[in-house]
Amino acid sequence: RNGIWYVEYSRSNAQSLKTRDKKEAERRFKVLEREAFLGNLVKLEAEVNISLKDFTAEYLARRASMSKKTIAHDALSLKKLAEAIGPETSLRLIDIKKIEDFKIFCHGQGLKPDSINSYLRQIKAALSSAEDWGYVSKRPKIKMVPGPKHLPRYLRPEEIKTLLAKADELRPEFARMLRFFLWTGARRNEALGLTWEDCSLKGKKPYVTLTGKGDKQRNVPVLPPLMDVLKPLQKDVGKVFPPINESTATHWFKQLARACRPPIEARLHDLRHTAATYMLANGVPIRIVQEILGHAQLSTTAIYAEVVKDQVHQEMTKLKFDFE
């Protein structure tokens, strides 16, 4: 299956031999066969000597249902790890020291802490799966690389007003998507994948069902300003927004941002940051914001609390007295 050899005991009972090498699979099969003959049908030892290269192939194959972008990020992160410590390195030998070697390798390539940490998060998830699958007894502890703290960029009211006006002028069909981002905090792919079947706009508590990372679904309330955008265009089936890909949506946003006067320095994803920041600034409890955004960890949402504090500080700098 997906290049990995299995042994089947019965129609519904199969066990991975955890190798792509046929000769090694035959050797492991003979061990099981001998144990079965002796009446001791046992599982292979928990830590099978699988290489980083073979594990990577199996890991990516098992994640085939994930988005292409996620798989590409996984593949790149594990490729970087293989470049640093060697593709034939046994998964069992990847310890804290090997992870530190990886960090040193990345620093040598001139990578910034944010980029290195992005790779480390994917590697951490992969090694956690290796632990779940019995390839290693315990995943090594992985610490992120310290670096400068960057608060998420959010758009100020005058920027939002200017951007939406320009979108209404140049790309009306895209303008409603921008409003959707602002009123829901949705990710780009969540909005692009939204269908009318995902929208429950009747009743006193209308909502949309967003499908986020790991195919996890969550319901996000549709407030009146967003209802005014969606309701007139509602259909029974089909995509809610223009059938475009993620790169096109990004390109359209950049065009609109540059067309504003003055130009707005922001990314499409910053609309999600903007939504989260304004939710907290307007008193929405942080755990509700976490649920709406679809964050697995509260710590991810907490960064927006820092943004709100920074916003308060900036606004307080406007305070002046006539006697000064």
Side-chain angles (χ1 to χ4, degrees):
R1 302 174 185 173
N2 298 320
I4 305 297
W5 288 92
Y6 280 70
V7 58
E8 190 173 73
Y9 303 118
S10 63
R11 188 179 183 87
S12 59
N13 185 13
Q15 177 189 346
S16 171
L17 292 174
K18 301 178 180 179
T19 181
R20 292 175 174 274
D21 183 81
K22 185 176 181 180
K23 289 185 177 180
E24 177 62 15
E26 290 174 342
R27 185 190 69 79
R28 296 177 185 181
F29 172 73
K30 287 180 180 179
V31 172
L32 290 174
E33 191 176 38
R34 182 174 65 252
E35 294 296 331
F37 178 77
L38 296 173
N40 301 319
L41 191 59
V42 296
K43 297 290 184 180
L44 291 174
E45 63 178 334
E47 292 185 278
V48 175
N49 192 25
I50 185 173
S51 69
L52 174 59
K53 177 182 177 182
D54 286 344
F55 169 75
T56 297
E58 181 179 358
Y59 181 70
L60 296 178
R62 289 201 190 197
R63 288 170 66 81
S65 62
M66 305 296 286
S67 70
K68 292 181 179 179
K69 183 178 179 180
T70 297
I71 294 175
H73 195 186
D74 288 336
L76 179 58
S77 300
L78 291 171
K79 179 183 177 183
K80 284 286 184 184
L81 179 61
E83 290 175 359
I85 67 174
E88 300 301 329
T89 298
S90 171
L91 214 59
R92 289 184 297 178
L93 299 179
I94 300 179
D95 53 13
I96 294 177
K97 183 179 182 303
K98 286 286 193 295
I99 297 299
E100 291 303 314
D101 290 342
F102 170 75
K103 294 178 184 178
I104 293 171
F105 171 81
C106 290
H107 282 303
Q109 289 194 324
L111 297 178
K112 296 181 179 179
D114 286 348
S115 297
I116 300 174
N117 289 337
S118 178
Y119 293 139
L120 287 173
R121 280 188 284 271
Q122 304 305 111
I123 292 169
K124 183 178 180 179
L127 293 180
S128 292
S129 293
E131 182 180 345
D132 292 339
W133 300 343
Y135 286 142
V136 296
S137 59
K138 187 177 181 180
R139 170 184 62 76
K141 188 174 183 179
I142 297 178
K143 294 183 179 180
M144 298 295 113
V145 176
K149 188 175 181 180
H150 300 292
L151 294 179
R153 162 79 160 101
Y154 70 95
L155 276 67
R156 298 188 178 280
E158 60 273 15
E159 292 178 312
I160 296 173
K161 183 178 179 180
T162 301
L163 180 67
L164 293 179
K166 185 58 67 173
D168 288 333
E169 175 190 347
L170 301 180
R171 289 195 183 276
E173 74 283 11
F174 189 49
R176 62 191 178 104
M177 184 186 292
L178 300 185
R179 288 181 168 86
F180 183 84
F181 286 129
L182 288 168
W183 286 101
T184 64
R187 299 180 179 92
R188 181 177 50 181
N189 63 316
E190 293 172 347
L192 291 172
L194 188 71
T195 66
W196 288 112
E197 295 95 320
D198 299 321
C199 301
S200 299
L201 304 183
K202 296 180 180 179
K204 295 182 179 180
K205 297 180 180 180
Y207 65 89
V208 294
T209 301
L210 299 179
T211 302
K213 294 181 178 180
D215 290 330
K216 293 181 180 179
Q217 293 188 324
R218 65 187 188 279
N219 294 332
V220 177
V222 173
L223 300 182
L226 182 57
M227 177 68 83
D228 292 341
V229 174
L230 297 179
K231 194 67 175 178
L233 301 168
Q234 187 178 10
K235 299 178 183 178
D236 293 328
V237 296
K239 291 289 184 69
V240 174
F241 299 110
I244 58 176
N245 57 39
E246 292 186 17
S247 60
T248 299
T250 298
H251 178 65
W252 283 4
F253 183 83
K254 286 182 179 179
Q255 283 186 326
L256 289 172
R258 290 169 183 167
C260 292
R261 292 292 176 268
I264 296 174
E265 295 294 331
R267 307 166 304 154
L268 180 56
H269 192 72
D270 291 334
L271 297 186
R272 177 172 163 86
H273 296 326
T274 301
T277 301
Y278 281 79
M279 286 180 207
L280 286 174
N282 283 276
V284 179
I286 190 169
R287 288 202 176 274
I288 299 298
V289 177
Q290 177 191 7
E291 182 178 338
I292 291 173
L293 295 180
H295 286 158
Q297 303 294 329
L298 185 64
S299 58
T300 307
T301 316
I303 187 65
Y304 297 108
E306 295 298 320
V307 177
V308 173
K309 290 179 183 177
D310 184 65
Q311 180 184 7
V312 171
H313 179 79
Q314 290 185 18
E315 293 301 322
M316 278 296 291
T317 61
K318 298 177 181 178
L319 180 62
K320 294 182 180 180
F321 292 100
D322 292 338
F323 59 79
E324 291 185 345

